[in-house]
């Protein structure tokens, strides 16, 4: 007989997609009224397991028990009726609908929408106050920050009376302050008797937030432990199957000649609003300049202008040669030819074409590479596929199948494909935005080591990240952006998170050093 003190119990869950065994004989028990972490490398099977629990997939074998009762979950509506809600990494919201309309959508009480909206308005007010989910019901989704959009997703689940809430990589798109607020919300949910399942790659979040944690590796469950009785190092070793270096190992930088020089760079968006306001800096060979800041303060526009995507004014020189600022389609190709590689912040919209195969994505921007040319008219697709397979093996992409479409890979494995394409080109300058967003601990170590290796090979690197730990551990110099301007430069050896946090909030003199 199943244990009625458990909110969820999964027994012998298995799921295969063709030859790929995503889940193999998974057993997991989640006590009611706890926050339960699930961690594992990209492709370990975490999201597949939760998709089975939420009714997106049907298990090939195994049983599901909810609150001690055997439960069949053929679809998401059945999961909702069983009291399960899920907040996905990429939100399922209608951008031009209000908060209230999104919450009611699919949960209307009848044909009279006004009645449903009136009821929902009152319930939303109660839920917002109870769980610190402060969102105006009449606000348009497209006008909300990412953190507030995530609160709407949580409100949707609570409105549908979810007692079990699954969150898949919830902080991948949040600022540190938004993440802290989210965890206060989750703590409040637990205190009210709700059960939370937290899928995340971030060991600090696991250690600070969860009561118990389960570790998956290559489709199997390798262990469940009390969070208070483990450590980040022990969890990382369980995830990867070997000891993992959690600190970035790098020696002092040896800066050489100036590679990139940026002078008075300005960018206006489609509404003529100035997003970059006279930014100037330089990066030398053999150094990493980290750009810190809360998302939305000009970092994205800076990367896009440097990468030739966004139209800009001012001046950009690479190794003393001026680069065009028109934002025309050919600019990106010209920059690659000049020696710039670019790992964009948004891998799904700027880094990949999701319906195309891995080998086709590896070709993007590098069609003219001589090793991919069969003759003047045709590409050598066999050579390209062989090169892709080699890159996938080196970068531990799972599954290592170049014929798989990009959309079939987990977010972390998508990132590895983009990183492999760009960082193995021996660029003079690497532009890299949010390099480890949604990436597991083993891959983070690998990507960080690659970045440091490029620096040690005399390359210039511009790193943009909202993760202060990443900025401080990788950068040789740190610049902070606020409202489209550089607030100042700091030495990571002598600064701290408090000082950087003040700069990120705009509290300091502007200027460069």
């Amino acid at each position: 007989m199943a244990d009625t003190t458990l909110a969820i119990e999964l027994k012998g869950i298995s799921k295969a997609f063709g030859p790929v065994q995503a889940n193999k004989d998974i057993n997991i028990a989640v006590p009611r009224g706890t926050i339960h972490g699930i961690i594992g490398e990209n492709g370990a099977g975490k999201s597949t397991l939760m998709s089975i629990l939420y009714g997106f997939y049907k298990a090939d074998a195994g049983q599901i028990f909810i609150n001690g009762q055997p439960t069949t979950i053929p679809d998401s509506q059945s999961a909702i009726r069983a009291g399960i809600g899920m907040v996905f990494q990429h939100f399922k919201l209608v951008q031009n609908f209000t908060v209230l309309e999104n919450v009611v959508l699919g949960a209307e009480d009848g044909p009279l929408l006004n009645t449903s909206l009136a009821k929902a308005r009152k319930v939303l007010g109660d839920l917002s106050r109870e769980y610190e989910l402060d969102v105006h019901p009449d606000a348009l989704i497209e006008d909300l920050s990412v953190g507030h959009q995530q609160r709407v997703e949580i409100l949707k689940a609570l409105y549908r009376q979810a007692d079990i809430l699954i969150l898949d990589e919830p902080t991948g798109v949040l600022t540190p302050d938004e993440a802290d607020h989210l965890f206060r919300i989750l703590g409040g949910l637990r205190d009210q008797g709700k059960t939370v399942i937290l899928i995340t790659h971030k060991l600090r979040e696991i250690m600070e937030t969860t009561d118990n944690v389960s570790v998956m590796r290559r489709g199997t469950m390798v262990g469940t432990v009390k969070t208070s009785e483990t450590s980040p190092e022990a969890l990382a070793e369980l995830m990867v199957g070997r000891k993992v270096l959690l600190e970035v190992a790098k020696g002092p930088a040896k800066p050489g000649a100036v590679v990139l020089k940026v002078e008075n760079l300005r960018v206006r968006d489609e509404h003529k609003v100035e997003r970059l306001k006279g930014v100037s800096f330089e990066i030398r060979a053999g150094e990493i300049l980290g750009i810190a800041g809360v998302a939305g303060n000009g970092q994205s526009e800076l990367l896009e202008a440097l990468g030739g995507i966004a139209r800009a004014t001012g001046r950009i020189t690479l190794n003393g040669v001026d680069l065009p600022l028109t934002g025309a389609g050919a600019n990106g190709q010209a920059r690659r030819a000049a020696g710039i590689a670019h790992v964009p912040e948004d891998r799904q919209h700027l880094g990949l074409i999701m319906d195309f195969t891995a080998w086709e994505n590896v070709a993007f921007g590098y069609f003219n590479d001589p090793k991919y040319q069969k003759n003047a008219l045709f590409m050598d697709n066999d050579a390209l596929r062989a090169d892709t397979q080699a890159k996938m093996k080196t970068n531990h992409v799972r599954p290592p199948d170049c014929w798989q479409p990009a959309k079939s890979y987990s977010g972390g494995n998508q990132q590895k494909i983009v990183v492999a394409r760009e960082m193995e080109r021996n660029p003079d300058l690497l532009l890299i935005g949010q390099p480890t967003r949604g990436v597991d601990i083993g891959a983070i170590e690998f990507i960080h080591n690659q970045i440091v290796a490029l620096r040690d090979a005399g390359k210039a690197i511009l790193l943009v990240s909202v993760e202060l730990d990443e900025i401080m551990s990788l950068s040789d110099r740190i610049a902070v952006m606020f409202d489209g301007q550089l607030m100042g430069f700091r030495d990571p050896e002598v600064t701290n998170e408090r000082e950087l946090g003040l700069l990120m909030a705009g509290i300091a003199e502007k200027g460069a050093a």
Side-chain angles (χ1 to χ4, degrees), residues 20 25 29 45 73 94-95 143 175 197 202 213 219 223 261 263 267 285 301 354 373 384 387 393 424 489 508:
V20 178
D25 196 27
I73 306 178
V94 181
Q95 290 294 305
D143 295 333
T175 67
I197 296 180
K202 299 178 181 179
V213 55
K261 188 170 185 179
E263 300 174 81
V267 172
E301 289 80 5
M354 302 303 290
Q373 301 301 312
L384 176 53
D387 186 51
K393 183 177 180 180
E424 292 192 16
F489 291 74

Side-chain angles (χ1 to χ4, degrees), residues 17-125:
F17 298 95
V20 178
Q21 189 73 43
N23 290 154
K24 183 178 180 181
D25 196 27
I26 298 289
N27 297 299
I28 185 172
V30 180
R32 192 178 300 142
T34 62
I35 300 178
H36 194 107
I38 299 181
I39 60 174
E41 290 190 280
N42 299 126
K46 309 179 299 294
S47 294
T48 298
L49 185 65
M50 291 302 101
S51 293
I52 290 170
L53 182 58
Y54 196 62
F56 275 6
Y57 298 141
K58 185 179 186 300
D60 299 331
Q63 292 178 290
I64 299 173
F65 295 85
I66 304 297
N67 296 319
Q69 299 300 313
T71 306
T72 301
I73 306 178
D75 51 42
S76 58
Q77 288 301 315
S78 300
I80 292 168
R81 286 193 294 270
I84 302 171
M86 189 162 181
V87 178
F88 295 89
Q89 187 175 3
H90 302 288
F91 305 147
K92 312 292 185 183
L93 299 171
V94 181
Q95 290 294 305
N96 59 350
F97 277 24
T98 66
V99 170
L100 191 62
E101 290 165 342
N102 270 278
V103 169
V104 170
L105 189 63
E108 299 88 349
D109 290 324
L112 298 178
L113 187 57
N114 285 343
T115 303
S116 297
L117 291 173
K119 173 192 169 185
R121 187 179 294 276
K122 181 182 184 307
V123 174
L124 281 188

Side-chain angles (χ1 to χ4, degrees), residues 77 80 135 159 208 230 259 268 341 349 419:
Q77 288 301 315
I80 292 168
V135 186
Y159 182 74
E208 293 178 359
T230 189
V259 172
R268 293 181 182 273
H349 291 96
V419 165

Side-chain angles (χ1 to χ4, degrees), residues 254-261 281-289 306 316-321 323 334-343 366 421-432 450-463:
K254 299 176 181 178
V258 173
V259 172
L260 176 71
K261 188 170 185 179
F281 64 90
E282 60 184 36
I283 310 177
R284 295 179 176 273
E287 74 164 347
I288 301 170
L289 175 64
L306 295 175
I316 302 173
T317 59
L318 182 73
N319 295 320
V321 177
L323 297 178
R335 277 160 166 69
R336 284 180 169 84
I340 296 178
H342 183 191
V343 178
Y366 298 101
R421 180 184 68 210
E422 301 296 331
M423 292 180 65
E424 292 192 16
R425 295 288 168 175
N426 194 34
D428 290 335
L429 170 67
L430 173 67
L431 309 173
I432 186 163
Q450 282 187 298
I451 292 171
V452 172
L454 276 178
R455 181 204 72 163
D456 292 345
K459 310 303 181 181
I461 298 168
L462 179 71
L463 166 71

Side-chain angles (χ1 to χ4, degrees), residues 39-42 44 46 169 200-204 206 215-216 231-248 396 398 412 416 436-449 470:
I39 60 174
E41 290 190 280
N42 299 126
K46 309 179 299 294
E169 298 293 348
T200 180
H201 294 106
K202 299 178 181 179
L203 294 179
R204 179 178 63 84
I206 288 289
V215 184
M216 295 184 67
S231 67
E233 292 77 13
L235 291 175
E237 188 169 351
L238 272 176
M239 287 169 62
V240 183
R242 61 176 174 81
K243 289 190 179 298
V244 177
L245 187 65
L246 297 181
E247 298 292 328
V248 177
H396 312 295
R398 297 193 184 105
K416 291 180 193 177
T436 57
R437 176 176 283 168
V439 174
D440 63 66
I441 190 71
I444 288 172
E445 178 192 38
F446 181 80
I447 291 171
H448 284 175
N449 287 340
E470 186 165 62

Side-chain angles (χ1 to χ4, degrees), residues 136-155:
H136 196 287
D138 297 317
L140 289 174
I141 296 298
E142 62 191 3
D143 295 333
L144 296 178
S145 70
V146 173
H148 281 81
Q149 290 186 32
Q150 187 177 69
R151 296 181 202 179
V152 177
E153 288 280 25
I154 295 173
L155 281 168

Side-chain angles (χ1 to χ4, degrees), residues 323-401:
L323 297 178
L325 302 176
T326 62
N331 284 354
Q333 187 67 35
R335 277 160 166 69
R336 284 180 169 84
I340 296 178
H342 183 191
V343 178
E345 292 181 293
D346 189 337
R347 55 180 170 254
Q348 293 196 352
H349 291 96
L350 293 177
L352 299 164
I353 296 180
M354 302 303 290
D355 288 329
F356 281 31
T357 64
W359 70 266
E360 290 168 324
N361 274 287
V362 166
F364 291 147
Y366 298 101
F367 298 109
N368 295 327
D369 189 321
K371 67 182 177 183
Y372 299 155
Q373 301 301 312
K374 181 174 289 187
N375 52 48
L377 295 177
F378 298 103
M379 291 183 64
D380 188 343
N381 289 341
D382 289 339
L384 176 53
R385 286 190 282 267
D387 186 51
T388 301
Q389 287 291 155
K391 284 179 166 62
M392 295 177 92
K393 183 177 180 180
T394 302
N395 289 270
H396 312 295
V397 178
R398 297 193 184 105
D401 178 2

